[in-house]
Amino acid sequence: MDQLPAALERAGNEQSWAVADAISRVLKNSEELHSWRRRLLSACMKGLVAVYSSSKDESKQEVERSMLLRLEELLYVVEEVDPDDWCSLVKTGLKYRYRDETFLKVLNVAIQLLYKKESSLSQ
């Protein structure tokens, strides 16, 4: 379970995400769930940065879309991110995907969630 977030950072790893979803369901009423989701959120952001950096031509759109939707879902439940992961995602995403509608939509949602008054990033 501890090595899974690192595996999730590699793009196109749908089987690992299926395992991560199963672990999330098992941890549903556990104290560990929030920590687990934070690790998944970090892995998702790092995975997107890797996809954007390696695939500058948007050839993996379905993988990106799936990861962006997962990112949005995780942001709603976690509502906090590692500042380094966030900075890297925004910088790389805007550099390579500034025209991508899904990326921009998720970025907007993330900004609304992360920069509200009580957020850790807004301080």
Side-chain angles (χ1 to χ4, degrees), residues 45-46 48-53 56 71 82-99 103-104 107 110-111 115:
M45 289 192 293
K46 288 176 182 173
L48 281 165
V49 168
V51 169
Y52 294 157
S53 298
K56 298 171 178 76
L71 174 68
D82 177 89
D84 292 334
D85 292 343
W86 172 245
C87 181
S88 184
L89 175 67
V90 171
K91 180 180 174 184
T92 308
L94 288 174
K95 182 175 182 180
Y96 297 115
R97 298 299 187 267
Y98 64 92
R99 293 183 185 169
F103 169 75
L104 293 173
L107 180 63
I111 289 169
Y115 289 94

mmCIF file of all heavy atoms in Angstrom, residues 45-46 48-53 56 71 82-99 103-104 107 110-111 115:
data_model
loop_
_atom_site.group_PDB
_atom_site.id
_atom_site.type_symbol
_atom_site.label_atom_id
_atom_site.label_comp_id
_atom_site.label_asym_id
_atom_site.label_seq_id
_atom_site.Cartn_x
_atom_site.Cartn_y
_atom_site.Cartn_z
ATOM 1 N N MET A 45 -1.300 14.717 -8.970
ATOM 2 C CA MET A 45 -0.675 15.949 -9.475
ATOM 3 C C MET A 45 0.683 15.657 -10.099
ATOM 4 O O MET A 45 1.007 16.158 -11.178
ATOM 5 C CB MET A 45 -0.557 16.982 -8.361
ATOM 6 C CG MET A 45 -1.902 17.561 -7.976
ATOM 7 S SD MET A 45 -1.815 19.019 -6.927
ATOM 8 C CE MET A 45 -1.142 18.356 -5.438
ATOM 9 N N LYS A 46 1.476 14.814 -9.440
ATOM 10 C CA LYS A 46 2.790 14.469 -9.983
ATOM 11 C C LYS A 46 2.643 13.696 -11.288
ATOM 12 O O LYS A 46 3.443 13.873 -12.213
ATOM 13 C CB LYS A 46 3.582 13.659 -8.958
ATOM 14 C CG LYS A 46 4.051 14.505 -7.795
ATOM 15 C CD LYS A 46 4.745 13.680 -6.743
ATOM 16 C CE LYS A 46 5.164 14.560 -5.564
ATOM 17 N NZ LYS A 46 5.703 13.763 -4.457
ATOM 18 N N LEU A 48 0.182 14.030 -13.461
ATOM 19 C CA LEU A 48 -0.182 14.996 -14.499
ATOM 20 C C LEU A 48 1.030 15.796 -14.963
ATOM 21 O O LEU A 48 1.202 16.028 -16.160
ATOM 22 C CB LEU A 48 -1.280 15.932 -13.994
ATOM 23 C CG LEU A 48 -2.682 15.346 -14.016
ATOM 24 C CD1 LEU A 48 -3.630 16.184 -13.177
ATOM 25 C CD2 LEU A 48 -3.195 15.233 -15.448
ATOM 26 N N VAL A 49 1.876 16.194 -14.041
ATOM 27 C CA VAL A 49 3.096 16.923 -14.410
ATOM 28 C C VAL A 49 3.953 16.040 -15.318
ATOM 29 O O VAL A 49 4.484 16.512 -16.333
ATOM 30 C CB VAL A 49 3.884 17.364 -13.154
ATOM 31 C CG1 VAL A 49 5.272 17.857 -13.514
ATOM 32 C CG2 VAL A 49 3.113 18.453 -12.410
ATOM 33 N N ALA A 50 4.066 14.769 -14.987
ATOM 34 C CA ALA A 50 4.856 13.844 -15.809
ATOM 35 C C ALA A 50 4.255 13.708 -17.201
ATOM 36 O O ALA A 50 4.978 13.715 -18.208
ATOM 37 C CB ALA A 50 4.941 12.483 -15.124
ATOM 38 N N VAL A 51 2.933 13.596 -17.280
ATOM 39 C CA VAL A 51 2.270 13.482 -18.583
ATOM 40 C C VAL A 51 2.502 14.745 -19.397
ATOM 41 O O VAL A 51 2.849 14.676 -20.581
ATOM 42 C CB VAL A 51 0.757 13.231 -18.418
ATOM 43 C CG1 VAL A 51 0.032 13.369 -19.748
ATOM 44 C CG2 VAL A 51 0.497 11.865 -17.835
ATOM 45 N N TYR A 52 2.300 15.900 -18.784
ATOM 46 C CA TYR A 52 2.464 17.161 -19.505
ATOM 47 C C TYR A 52 3.902 17.348 -19.982
ATOM 48 O O TYR A 52 4.138 17.827 -21.083
ATOM 49 C CB TYR A 52 2.047 18.343 -18.635
ATOM 50 C CG TYR A 52 0.582 18.370 -18.291
ATOM 51 C CD1 TYR A 52 0.138 19.049 -17.176
ATOM 52 C CD2 TYR A 52 -0.363 17.715 -19.061
ATOM 53 C CE1 TYR A 52 -1.212 19.093 -16.853
ATOM 54 C CE2 TYR A 52 -1.703 17.740 -18.746
ATOM 55 C CZ TYR A 52 -2.120 18.435 -17.635
ATOM 56 O OH TYR A 52 -3.454 18.458 -17.317
ATOM 57 N N SER A 53 4.852 16.981 -19.152
ATOM 58 C CA SER A 53 6.262 17.154 -19.509
ATOM 59 C C SER A 53 6.702 16.204 -20.613
ATOM 60 O O SER A 53 7.494 16.565 -21.472
ATOM 61 C CB SER A 53 7.144 16.940 -18.282
ATOM 62 O OG SER A 53 6.849 17.901 -17.302
ATOM 63 N N LYS A 56 4.080 16.625 -24.750
ATOM 64 C CA LYS A 56 3.769 18.029 -25.002
ATOM 65 C C LYS A 56 2.736 18.225 -26.107
ATOM 66 O O LYS A 56 2.142 19.272 -26.239
ATOM 67 C CB LYS A 56 5.047 18.779 -25.330
ATOM 68 C CG LYS A 56 6.034 18.760 -24.184
ATOM 69 C CD LYS A 56 7.377 19.306 -24.603
ATOM 70 C CE LYS A 56 8.361 19.333 -23.474
ATOM 71 N NZ LYS A 56 8.923 18.072 -23.108
ATOM 72 N N LEU A 71 -8.335 14.291 -10.112
ATOM 73 C CA LEU A 71 -7.771 15.406 -9.347
ATOM 74 C C LEU A 71 -8.889 16.275 -8.782
ATOM 75 O O LEU A 71 -8.878 16.624 -7.600
ATOM 76 C CB LEU A 71 -6.849 16.241 -10.240
ATOM 77 C CG LEU A 71 -6.296 17.523 -9.625
ATOM 78 C CD1 LEU A 71 -5.326 17.199 -8.500
ATOM 79 C CD2 LEU A 71 -5.604 18.362 -10.689
ATOM 80 N N ASP A 82 0.018 19.927 -1.261
ATOM 81 C CA ASP A 82 1.398 20.286 -0.991
ATOM 82 C C ASP A 82 1.736 21.465 -1.909
ATOM 83 O O ASP A 82 1.519 21.383 -3.121
ATOM 84 C CB ASP A 82 2.301 19.089 -1.297
ATOM 85 C CG ASP A 82 3.752 19.428 -1.113
ATOM 86 O OD1 ASP A 82 4.254 19.271 0.016
ATOM 87 O OD2 ASP A 82 4.384 19.864 -2.098
ATOM 88 N N PRO A 83 2.230 22.561 -1.355
ATOM 89 C CA PRO A 83 2.516 23.742 -2.187
ATOM 90 C C PRO A 83 3.471 23.465 -3.350
ATOM 91 O O PRO A 83 3.308 24.024 -4.435
ATOM 92 C CB PRO A 83 3.126 24.740 -1.199
ATOM 93 C CG PRO A 83 2.572 24.341 0.127
ATOM 94 C CD PRO A 83 2.449 22.842 0.069
ATOM 95 N N ASP A 84 4.462 22.593 -3.153
ATOM 96 C CA ASP A 84 5.392 22.281 -4.244
ATOM 97 C C ASP A 84 4.696 21.526 -5.371
ATOM 98 O O ASP A 84 4.934 21.793 -6.550
ATOM 99 C CB ASP A 84 6.576 21.467 -3.724
ATOM 100 C CG ASP A 84 7.480 22.275 -2.805
ATOM 101 O OD1 ASP A 84 7.517 23.520 -2.938
ATOM 102 O OD2 ASP A 84 8.146 21.663 -1.947
ATOM 103 N N ASP A 85 3.832 20.568 -4.999
ATOM 104 C CA ASP A 85 3.069 19.834 -6.015
ATOM 105 C C ASP A 85 2.162 20.785 -6.785
ATOM 106 O O ASP A 85 2.049 20.708 -8.015
ATOM 107 C CB ASP A 85 2.202 18.734 -5.373
ATOM 108 C CG ASP A 85 3.018 17.605 -4.787
ATOM 109 O OD1 ASP A 85 4.208 17.464 -5.120
ATOM 110 O OD2 ASP A 85 2.457 16.847 -3.966
ATOM 111 N N TRP A 86 1.509 21.682 -6.062
ATOM 112 C CA TRP A 86 0.585 22.632 -6.671
ATOM 113 C C TRP A 86 1.320 23.551 -7.649
ATOM 114 O O TRP A 86 0.904 23.751 -8.787
ATOM 115 C CB TRP A 86 -0.123 23.437 -5.582
ATOM 116 C CG TRP A 86 -0.954 24.568 -6.075
ATOM 117 C CD1 TRP A 86 -0.746 25.891 -5.859
ATOM 118 C CD2 TRP A 86 -2.150 24.484 -6.865
ATOM 119 N NE1 TRP A 86 -1.726 26.641 -6.468
ATOM 120 C CE2 TRP A 86 -2.593 25.796 -7.092
ATOM 121 C CE3 TRP A 86 -2.869 23.430 -7.410
ATOM 122 C CZ2 TRP A 86 -3.730 26.091 -7.835
ATOM 123 C CZ3 TRP A 86 -4.008 23.710 -8.157
ATOM 124 C CH2 TRP A 86 -4.420 25.030 -8.359
ATOM 125 N N CYS A 87 2.436 24.100 -7.209
ATOM 126 C CA CYS A 87 3.216 25.014 -8.049
ATOM 127 C C CYS A 87 3.680 24.303 -9.317
ATOM 128 O O CYS A 87 3.580 24.846 -10.422
ATOM 129 C CB CYS A 87 4.410 25.537 -7.253
ATOM 130 S SG CYS A 87 5.433 26.697 -8.164
ATOM 131 N N SER A 88 4.157 23.096 -9.169
ATOM 132 C CA SER A 88 4.633 22.328 -10.311
ATOM 133 C C SER A 88 3.507 22.030 -11.294
ATOM 134 O O SER A 88 3.680 22.152 -12.510
ATOM 135 C CB SER A 88 5.267 21.029 -9.806
ATOM 136 O OG SER A 88 5.811 20.305 -10.852
ATOM 137 N N LEU A 89 2.342 21.647 -10.768
ATOM 138 C CA LEU A 89 1.200 21.353 -11.629
ATOM 139 C C LEU A 89 0.750 22.601 -12.395
ATOM 140 O O LEU A 89 0.538 22.552 -13.606
ATOM 141 C CB LEU A 89 0.030 20.799 -10.820
ATOM 142 C CG LEU A 89 -1.255 20.577 -11.617
ATOM 143 C CD1 LEU A 89 -1.076 19.458 -12.631
ATOM 144 C CD2 LEU A 89 -2.412 20.276 -10.691
ATOM 145 N N VAL A 90 0.613 23.710 -11.703
ATOM 146 C CA VAL A 90 0.154 24.942 -12.351
ATOM 147 C C VAL A 90 1.160 25.395 -13.412
ATOM 148 O O VAL A 90 0.788 25.698 -14.546
ATOM 149 C CB VAL A 90 -0.095 26.060 -11.303
ATOM 150 C CG1 VAL A 90 -0.357 27.388 -11.979
ATOM 151 C CG2 VAL A 90 -1.257 25.681 -10.398
ATOM 152 N N LYS A 91 2.415 25.410 -13.050
ATOM 153 C CA LYS A 91 3.458 25.867 -13.983
ATOM 154 C C LYS A 91 3.519 24.980 -15.228
ATOM 155 O O LYS A 91 3.480 25.487 -16.357
ATOM 156 C CB LYS A 91 4.813 25.857 -13.264
ATOM 157 C CG LYS A 91 5.958 26.312 -14.116
ATOM 158 C CD LYS A 91 7.255 26.277 -13.327
ATOM 159 C CE LYS A 91 8.426 26.604 -14.219
ATOM 160 N NZ LYS A 91 9.695 26.495 -13.503
ATOM 161 N N THR A 92 3.585 23.679 -15.033
ATOM 162 C CA THR A 92 3.695 22.761 -16.169
ATOM 163 C C THR A 92 2.401 22.724 -16.967
ATOM 164 O O THR A 92 2.415 22.701 -18.201
ATOM 165 C CB THR A 92 4.066 21.351 -15.678
ATOM 166 O OG1 THR A 92 5.216 21.440 -14.841
ATOM 167 C CG2 THR A 92 4.366 20.426 -16.838
ATOM 168 N N GLY A 93 1.270 22.702 -16.259
ATOM 169 C CA GLY A 93 -0.020 22.663 -16.940
ATOM 170 C C GLY A 93 -0.250 23.890 -17.802
ATOM 171 O O GLY A 93 -0.683 23.778 -18.952
ATOM 172 N N LEU A 94 0.043 25.059 -17.271
ATOM 173 C CA LEU A 94 -0.149 26.278 -18.063
ATOM 174 C C LEU A 94 0.852 26.364 -19.209
ATOM 175 O O LEU A 94 0.535 26.912 -20.270
ATOM 176 C CB LEU A 94 -0.049 27.512 -17.173
ATOM 177 C CG LEU A 94 -1.239 27.728 -16.233
ATOM 178 C CD1 LEU A 94 -0.971 28.893 -15.292
ATOM 179 C CD2 LEU A 94 -2.520 27.961 -17.028
ATOM 180 N N LYS A 95 2.028 25.816 -19.011
ATOM 181 C CA LYS A 95 3.031 25.844 -20.075
ATOM 182 C C LYS A 95 2.596 24.993 -21.268
ATOM 183 O O LYS A 95 2.736 25.409 -22.417
ATOM 184 C CB LYS A 95 4.366 25.341 -19.533
ATOM 185 C CG LYS A 95 5.490 25.383 -20.546
ATOM 186 C CD LYS A 95 6.801 24.994 -19.899
ATOM 187 C CE LYS A 95 7.944 25.072 -20.901
ATOM 188 N NZ LYS A 95 9.224 24.695 -20.271
ATOM 189 N N TYR A 96 2.055 23.800 -20.995
ATOM 190 C CA TYR A 96 1.755 22.865 -22.074
ATOM 191 C C TYR A 96 0.278 22.706 -22.400
ATOM 192 O O TYR A 96 -0.066 22.194 -23.460
ATOM 193 C CB TYR A 96 2.330 21.484 -21.753
ATOM 194 C CG TYR A 96 3.837 21.495 -21.637
ATOM 195 C CD1 TYR A 96 4.455 21.220 -20.434
ATOM 196 C CD2 TYR A 96 4.635 21.799 -22.732
ATOM 197 C CE1 TYR A 96 5.838 21.237 -20.321
ATOM 198 C CE2 TYR A 96 6.013 21.823 -22.637
ATOM 199 C CZ TYR A 96 6.608 21.536 -21.416
ATOM 200 O OH TYR A 96 7.971 21.561 -21.318
ATOM 201 N N ARG A 97 -0.618 23.113 -21.494
ATOM 202 C CA ARG A 97 -2.042 22.861 -21.722
ATOM 203 C C ARG A 97 -2.910 24.108 -21.536
ATOM 204 O O ARG A 97 -4.073 24.024 -21.171
ATOM 205 C CB ARG A 97 -2.554 21.770 -20.780
ATOM 206 C CG ARG A 97 -1.894 20.414 -20.957
ATOM 207 C CD ARG A 97 -2.123 19.853 -22.351
ATOM 208 N NE ARG A 97 -1.633 18.493 -22.465
ATOM 209 C CZ ARG A 97 -0.407 18.171 -22.890
ATOM 210 N NH1 ARG A 97 0.451 19.108 -23.234
ATOM 211 N NH2 ARG A 97 -0.038 16.910 -22.966
ATOM 212 N N TYR A 98 -2.360 25.272 -21.812
ATOM 213 C CA TYR A 98 -3.102 26.510 -21.603
ATOM 214 C C TYR A 98 -4.321 26.639 -22.493
ATOM 215 O O TYR A 98 -5.184 27.473 -22.246
ATOM 216 C CB TYR A 98 -2.189 27.733 -21.762
ATOM 217 C CG TYR A 98 -1.618 27.904 -23.147
ATOM 218 C CD1 TYR A 98 -2.269 28.690 -24.092
ATOM 219 C CD2 TYR A 98 -0.427 27.287 -23.501
ATOM 220 C CE1 TYR A 98 -1.756 28.850 -25.356
ATOM 221 C CE2 TYR A 98 0.089 27.441 -24.776
ATOM 222 C CZ TYR A 98 -0.575 28.222 -25.698
ATOM 223 O OH TYR A 98 -0.058 28.372 -26.952
ATOM 224 N N ARG A 99 -4.455 25.806 -23.509
ATOM 225 C CA ARG A 99 -5.633 25.831 -24.383
ATOM 226 C C ARG A 99 -6.595 24.681 -24.109
ATOM 227 O O ARG A 99 -7.642 24.596 -24.739
ATOM 228 C CB ARG A 99 -5.207 25.756 -25.847
ATOM 229 C CG ARG A 99 -4.458 26.965 -26.306
ATOM 230 C CD ARG A 99 -4.134 26.835 -27.764
ATOM 231 N NE ARG A 99 -3.305 27.960 -28.190
ATOM 232 C CZ ARG A 99 -2.691 28.032 -29.336
ATOM 233 N NH1 ARG A 99 -2.798 27.041 -30.196
ATOM 234 N NH2 ARG A 99 -1.964 29.075 -29.643
ATOM 235 N N PHE A 103 -8.350 20.986 -18.608
ATOM 236 C CA PHE A 103 -7.323 21.448 -17.677
ATOM 237 C C PHE A 103 -7.721 22.781 -17.056
ATOM 238 O O PHE A 103 -7.642 22.965 -15.843
ATOM 239 C CB PHE A 103 -5.957 21.581 -18.368
ATOM 240 C CG PHE A 103 -4.949 22.291 -17.510
ATOM 241 C CD1 PHE A 103 -4.359 21.647 -16.434
ATOM 242 C CD2 PHE A 103 -4.619 23.614 -17.751
ATOM 243 C CE1 PHE A 103 -3.452 22.313 -15.618
ATOM 244 C CE2 PHE A 103 -3.717 24.293 -16.948
ATOM 245 C CZ PHE A 103 -3.125 23.640 -15.875
ATOM 246 N N LEU A 104 -8.163 23.720 -17.881
ATOM 247 C CA LEU A 104 -8.514 25.046 -17.379
ATOM 248 C C LEU A 104 -9.715 24.992 -16.434
ATOM 249 O O LEU A 104 -9.753 25.705 -15.427
ATOM 250 C CB LEU A 104 -8.773 25.998 -18.538
ATOM 251 C CG LEU A 104 -7.545 26.318 -19.388
ATOM 252 C CD1 LEU A 104 -7.945 27.130 -20.608
ATOM 253 C CD2 LEU A 104 -6.484 27.031 -18.568
ATOM 254 N N LEU A 107 -8.429 23.538 -13.183
ATOM 255 C CA LEU A 107 -7.585 24.555 -12.549
ATOM 256 C C LEU A 107 -8.446 25.612 -11.866
ATOM 257 O O LEU A 107 -8.172 26.019 -10.731
ATOM 258 C CB LEU A 107 -6.659 25.195 -13.584
ATOM 259 C CG LEU A 107 -5.721 26.279 -13.062
ATOM 260 C CD1 LEU A 107 -4.753 25.714 -12.036
ATOM 261 C CD2 LEU A 107 -4.971 26.925 -14.220
ATOM 262 N N ALA A 110 -9.919 24.147 -8.764
ATOM 263 C CA ALA A 110 -8.869 24.026 -7.753
ATOM 264 C C ALA A 110 -8.557 25.370 -7.106
ATOM 265 O O ALA A 110 -8.417 25.463 -5.883
ATOM 266 C CB ALA A 110 -7.606 23.438 -8.387
ATOM 267 N N ILE A 111 -8.474 26.403 -7.906
ATOM 268 C CA ILE A 111 -8.199 27.736 -7.362
ATOM 269 C C ILE A 111 -9.316 28.160 -6.420
ATOM 270 O O ILE A 111 -9.059 28.687 -5.333
ATOM 271 C CB ILE A 111 -8.005 28.756 -8.508
ATOM 272 C CG1 ILE A 111 -6.673 28.483 -9.212
ATOM 273 C CG2 ILE A 111 -8.062 30.187 -7.989
ATOM 274 C CD1 ILE A 111 -6.488 29.243 -10.508
ATOM 275 N N TYR A 115 -7.992 28.495 -2.560
ATOM 276 C CA TYR A 115 -7.717 29.861 -2.150
ATOM 277 C C TYR A 115 -8.878 30.520 -1.427
ATOM 278 O O TYR A 115 -8.923 31.738 -1.311
ATOM 279 C CB TYR A 115 -7.269 30.700 -3.351
ATOM 280 C CG TYR A 115 -5.887 30.301 -3.807
ATOM 281 C CD1 TYR A 115 -5.716 29.361 -4.817
ATOM 282 C CD2 TYR A 115 -4.758 30.828 -3.198
ATOM 283 C CE1 TYR A 115 -4.450 28.971 -5.220
ATOM 284 C CE2 TYR A 115 -3.487 30.442 -3.602
ATOM 285 C CZ TYR A 115 -3.340 29.518 -4.609
ATOM 286 O OH TYR A 115 -2.080 29.136 -4.999
#
